[in-house]
Amino acid sequence: MAIKGVLSFTILLCCLCYCGKVEGGHRKLSRKEDLEIEKQLKLLNKPPLKTIKTESEDIYDCIDFYKQPAFDHPLLKNHTYHYEMRPISPNKRMIEKKAAEAGEPLEIGLKGEGCPIGTVPIRRTTKEDLIRAKLFAETYASRFNPLTNEWPGLHKAIIQTKYDPVKRYNGGGGMFSVYQPSVSGSQFSSAQMTIQSGSDSIKVGWTVNPSLYGDTKTRLFTFFKAGSTFCFNTRCPGFVIVNTHLPLDIIVMPISTRGGPIYKLNLFVYREEVSGRWWLEVGPSYTKVGYWPPNIFSGLKDLATYIEWGGEAYSVPGQPGPPMGSGEFLFGDTSQDAFCRQATTVDEAHEPQDAENTQTFADDTGSYNVHDWGIRGLMLSSEVGYEKPHSKIFEAALDQINVEACKAVHVGDDEKADKLGANAIGIDCW
């Protein structure tokens, strides 16, 4: 299939770990902060209509849709939202064709019936969870976003859209291979997509983050920053959940193994044309999890100006960073390297496009790196119905990567099947 922005990201030949606390975790909460934590705990842990305990011992409470944390936001008090609400203008997605190296798509969610209709799953939170998440979110929002020498510790290996004053986006997506990097203490390692406009941003992906979750499992995560408000998942009001089976912080499994099998997680965020809501879709069926309402934002009240895809890892400054992705140096093979395939942007006309006008960035190429493979194609004669040297197999390959015959080169080792077949439709052959 045509693959744009197959980006492979990696870290450290050896998996090095360092035990530590979340920076800021040593400070003592003030009396006012402690009271705020208690208040927030009550808002988060509302009386459930049903409780679900997973095999991993996570507890999810099925909360009335109208009592979920999102509606504690002052700008959402007088909302007219409904639990059956779905996009008025459905997103036009890019359709992935089967490919040998594509990996197995993951359909994640609570097993069984999930939560009853009219309720949404919220992971039960302890006071310790909330304090740990609060301190981590403060650090993440204030220190991690500006990647400078003055704020060390955070590392990135990403593909990003280049600055263009007239280019704007209604969303983006990608297919991320899923791994479980080894981290400890205050370290974390993630694969994610970021959509941004000004100081507002939305991040979605998978992460291994003991500071946030209290364990080292690979979990789905979201993060949003809107002005002075910022948090992960539903730890503060903002994200409206509509799905009864898919919590924002669910464990993602199974995990990929270098050399195979490989598992991937499809993620898509797009701005609904009519309402301006930013919808999150997950999995091969593009399951609608929920949305960020536009009125909680300033910059993202309109279209985004920047998107990035890739890996992010953090460790205490001065200490070795944790693994990113598959935990090894790039091999040049998606069965060996962590990747994001089919990196996609949604343009101003709400049309999904292969991500273009992009560049790679890695702040520490001695430990972390990223390669942008650009557009690649995989064509199987069994799918097309023709074999070389028939012109149909070559024409199908050109259509798949959207390249004219005069601008293509075919590399082969058979005079008849490769050279004659390619030359017959105007493709040069080596």
Side-chain angles (χ1 to χ4, degrees), residues 266-286:
N266 296 11
L267 299 170
F268 212 98
V269 174
Y270 69 97
R271 180 177 174 270
E272 186 184 354
E273 185 174 1
V274 177
S275 69
R277 301 182 191 112
W278 290 92
W279 281 87
L280 169 63
E281 297 182 343
V282 176
S285 302
Y286 292 93

Side-chain angles (χ1 to χ4, degrees), residues 62-96:
C62 299
I63 306 299
D64 187 299
F65 172 84
Y66 298 103
K67 294 181 180 179
Q68 64 176 293
F71 299 132
D72 293 318
H73 196 292
L75 296 177
L76 302 180
K77 289 292 186 182
N78 299 315
H79 69 89
T80 57
Y81 301 140
H82 189 266
Y83 57 82
E84 293 183 338
M85 183 175 286
R86 295 298 183 270
I88 299 171
S89 48
N91 173 47
K92 306 167 190 174
R93 304 178 200 88
M94 297 190 75
I95 305 300
E96 183 191 17

Side-chain angles (χ1 to χ4, degrees), residues 22-36:
V22 174
E23 287 192 270
H26 292 292
R27 76 174 178 85
K28 186 177 181 181
L29 294 180
S30 67
R31 175 61 178 166
K32 181 180 179 181
E33 288 177 313
D34 190 67
L35 290 174
E36 288 175 351

Side-chain angles (χ1 to χ4, degrees), residues 334-345:
T334 53
S335 69
Q336 303 288 331
D337 304 329
F339 61 81
C340 172
R341 303 178 70 247
Q342 210 163 352
T344 305
T345 61

Side-chain angles (χ1 to χ4, degrees), residues 93-348:
R93 304 178 200 88
M94 297 190 75
I95 305 300
E96 183 191 17
K97 298 178 183 179
K98 291 182 179 180
E101 80 280 17
E104 185 70 24
L106 291 178
E107 193 78 72
I108 59 175
L110 297 172
K111 292 183 178 179
E113 298 179 351
C115 286
I117 295 175
T119 68
V120 294
I122 304 290
R123 188 171 178 237
R124 188 174 295 179
T125 306
T126 66
K127 185 174 182 179
E128 181 183 12
D129 292 334
L130 206 52
I131 292 173
R132 188 176 59 243
K134 171 183 170 62
L135 295 173
F136 178 76
E138 286 178 353
T139 306
Y140 190 85
S142 64
R143 291 193 61 175
F144 288 2
N145 284 346
L147 186 65
T148 66
N149 291 331
E150 288 75 25
W151 301 115
L154 180 74
H155 298 286
K156 288 188 176 185
I158 60 172
I159 178 177
Q160 58 189 4
T161 55
K162 295 179 181 178
Y163 173 72
D164 185 335
V166 299
K167 188 72 173 178
R168 302 195 304 169
Y169 307 97
N170 274 303
M175 303 171 184
F176 294 82
S177 57
V178 177
Y179 286 89
Q180 189 174 8
S182 177
V183 305
S184 64
S186 61
Q187 296 177 332
F188 75 81
S189 187
S190 308
Q192 63 194 40
M193 175 181 69
T194 301
I195 295 177
Q196 186 171 332
S197 179
S199 62
D200 289 354
S201 63
I202 291 172
K203 299 189 178 191
V204 299
W206 60 255
T207 187
V208 179
N209 191 329
S211 295
L212 183 61
Y213 296 111
D215 61 34
T216 55
K217 302 180 186 299
T218 301
R219 292 180 180 269
L220 179 69
F221 87 96
T222 66
F223 176 85
F224 82 94
K225 188 175 186 297
S228 60
T229 300
F230 52 84
C231 71
F232 288 86
N233 306 324
T234 57
R235 295 295 171 87
C236 67
F239 185 82
V240 180
I241 303 173
V242 299
N243 194 280
T244 59
H245 288 76
L246 213 168
L248 290 180
D249 46 15
I250 193 167
I251 293 173
V252 180
M253 57 186 304
I255 300 299
S256 302
T257 302
R258 288 193 88 229
I262 303 298
Y263 300 96
K264 65 180 181 180
L265 183 64
N266 296 11
L267 299 170
F268 212 98
V269 174
Y270 69 97
R271 180 177 174 270
E272 186 184 354
E273 185 174 1
V274 177
S275 69
R277 301 182 191 112
W278 290 92
W279 281 87
L280 169 63
E281 297 182 343
V282 176
S285 302
Y286 292 93
T287 301
K288 293 169 180 62
V289 181
Y291 55 86
W292 291 270
N295 47 324
I296 70 172
F297 294 109
S298 54
L300 285 176
K301 185 172 287 187
D302 202 351
L303 283 71
T305 57
Y306 171 85
I307 304 179
E308 70 178 46
W309 304 258
E312 190 172 89
Y314 173 79
S315 191
V316 174
Q319 299 295 332
M324 183 189 296
S326 64
E328 300 286 347
F329 282 122
L330 292 176
F331 189 77
D333 182 344
T334 53
S335 69
Q336 303 288 331
D337 304 329
F339 61 81
C340 172
R341 303 178 70 247
Q342 210 163 352
T344 305
T345 61
V346 182
D347 66 17
E348 293 183 69

